[in-house]
Amino acid sequence: MLAPKIISNKFTDWNQKHKAPFGSEWWYKFVNSKNRGSNFAWRNRFKIPYLLMQQIGAFGFQHNSQTRIFEYPWCFFATPLEAGMRVLEVGAGASGFQFILAEHGLEVTSVDPLINPSEKVDWLFTSHQFNYLNQAFRGKVNFIQDFLQNAQIESNTYDRVFSISAIEHIPPEEVAPLVKEIARILKPGGFFIATIDLFLDCYPFTAKISNRYGSNISICSLIEASGLRIKVGNPCELYGYPEFKPENIHQQLDEFLVVKDPWEKCLILTQCIILEKVT
């Protein structure tokens, strides 16, 4: 499925409760202003006292796309979550979602190499900064600084694996090994919940293969490589399926959440899938 244009009240309430996806309104306005000290405050955000960080909110320490207005609450409500479940987020970076999961009593592991996804993206974030952020929000997230394929996690370990707009940033040849590893570490009956950007300035919408963030990956190939069963996902709205027609997406843009990236100036939609491990 593609994220819809209309956000439900349930999602809006969740965003307000957790100050998602940008942190407190006053903080977002300040760091995005040209006021004196705003750049300094953003550069030093991982040195702010814990109490102030908590007032800013867990989502206030990473630049997020407007698509996260839908993505974060959708991932949270996509499947039933119960306290004590073991969950893992791939490529979380400084995202607040991992800390909100922990706040709700889930046993959370975050796996991220914390390196630039490409030479075109200036992503500066260290393990020290992650640990500081984690402690500010009660230190409940278990962090593994590595690629998931290298993390040596035991098979059949996790009830849920989340990936929020991360897969499209990795090289296409690494997608299959990643999703196979996700399938391996999921418990039988567990779910992989993912959102994946769909760039309207890249193939199959244009001749351009990629932009500064990545490229459009075949969701059909991803699912086939994983060996997981699709539970939620409309092939007509997922790139790579025969039913997916670029011209149809253009004709239906008014129905979807469409965000214009301020740097790349491209239009971005959000593909959403839930995959289940049946054996």
Side-chain angles (χ1 to χ4, degrees), residues 110-126:
S110 175
V111 181
D112 196 320
L114 300 185
I115 61 173
N116 290 342
S118 75
E119 295 178 355
K120 299 178 182 178
V121 180
D122 184 17
W123 171 237
L124 301 177
F125 187 52
T126 67

Side-chain angles (χ1 to χ4, degrees), residues 84-196:
M85 280 185 171
R86 300 190 71 184
V87 304
L88 182 144
E89 185 173 359
V90 178
S95 165
F97 188 73
Q98 57 199 317
F99 305 115
I100 300 305
L101 292 175
E103 181 183 304
H104 283 79
L106 301 168
E107 186 180 330
V108 182
T109 297
S110 175
V111 181
D112 196 320
L114 300 185
I115 61 173
N116 290 342
S118 75
E119 295 178 355
K120 299 178 182 178
V121 180
D122 184 17
W123 171 237
L124 301 177
F125 187 52
T126 67
S127 58
H128 173 76
Q129 290 170 332
F130 180 93
N131 291 331
Y132 191 85
L133 185 61
N134 191 23
Q135 289 302 314
F137 294 97
R138 301 173 182 84
K140 294 182 178 180
V141 175
N142 173 43
F143 174 60
I144 300 174
Q145 186 180 0
D146 210 333
F147 295 99
L148 183 64
Q149 298 93 311
N150 300 333
Q152 299 183 338
I153 294 172
E154 187 178 345
S155 299
N156 305 315
T157 302
Y158 288 95
D159 298 285
R160 304 285 186 272
V161 174
F162 296 92
S163 175
I164 303 176
S165 286
I167 291 177
E168 66 273 12
H169 301 304
I170 70 174
E173 65 273 12
E174 295 182 15
V175 172
L178 173 64
V179 295
K180 288 178 181 177
E181 186 67 6
I182 288 171
R184 185 186 66 80
I185 67 174
L186 273 174
K187 295 178 181 178
F191 295 103
F192 174 41
I193 299 110
T195 62
I196 302 162

